[in-house]
Amino acid sequence: MYGLRYRDFAWNHNAHYHDMLLRHVPPGARRALDVGCGDGRFARRLALRGLEVDAIDPDAAALGTARERTPARLDVHYTAAPLSGIDLEPGAYDFISAIASLHHMPLGDSLRRLDAALAPGGVLAVLGLYREDTATDRAASLAALPGQWATAAGLKLGRLLTGVPDPAYLSDMRVTDPQATLHEIAAEAGRTLPGARIRRHLYWRYSLVYVRS
């Protein structure tokens, strides 16, 4: 029931890019860390690929929801703590994800901690938010609107036809406006993670992908 009720009708700007992030999981990866896991949706997708997943989030209520929605057969371990509040084992993870979470914390320090926690050849995949600052930023925002409106209309129709209720839990997720511009994020990543690749995406998002040498 979970798959029908939430996978098909719980689209949001972050979930739109889950498949893209999953393509960066390195072959043979066995252990992953999901930073700011929220209700555990992406952590579960990692576990479905056979990874052992440590999932952290400072929001205990969100983790309560995550635990309720995670089948016992999936190897996901939830911890209610901010990134700064846990000790990460050096080189422990083959894949680390951070989805709409790094703008809640100091970027440089967080990237350094995550880099140290990656195994050689491990991948850090970030989906983040940035503060609009340029004409290009504003143009990207305008370009995202038709797609968002079309998707919202399609989901509304799907719920109407199937009787699946609106997943109101999505509106309860903690939201903080980003303070760093995309230029500032790229500059910090360049200093902290040489070789990291940053791309702007629709729906007010950017991705950062880094492979530890």
Side-chain angles (χ1 to χ4, degrees), residues 35-138:
V35 178
C37 64
D39 73 341
R41 189 173 182 180
F42 190 70
R44 287 188 290 276
R45 293 200 63 181
L46 289 170
L48 284 168
R49 296 171 66 104
L51 280 76
E52 175 188 351
V53 183
D54 292 329
I56 65 171
D57 197 292
D59 189 334
L63 288 189
T65 300
R67 292 186 179 100
E68 290 175 0
R69 293 181 175 153
T70 302
R73 63 185 175 84
L74 295 183
D75 198 359
V76 183
H77 313 282
Y78 293 107
T79 300
L83 177 61
S84 60
I86 63 172
D87 293 325
L88 297 178
E89 180 184 347
Y93 296 102
D94 304 301
F95 183 77
I96 298 177
S97 53
I99 299 176
S101 59
L102 290 188
H103 67 286
H104 292 279
M105 58 192 83
L107 181 60
D109 290 344
S110 300
L111 292 178
R112 280 186 284 273
R113 295 199 71 210
L114 297 179
D115 179 24
L118 282 172
V123 175
L124 169 63
V126 172
L127 183 71
L129 286 71
Y130 61 91
R131 177 172 61 85
E132 290 186 3
D133 182 58
T134 68
T136 302
D137 295 338
R138 290 183 281 275

Side-chain angles (χ1 to χ4, degrees), residues 16-29:
H16 181 79
Y17 292 106
H18 283 185
D19 286 342
M20 178 196 74
L21 296 174
L22 287 170
R23 289 195 288 272
H24 293 290
V25 176

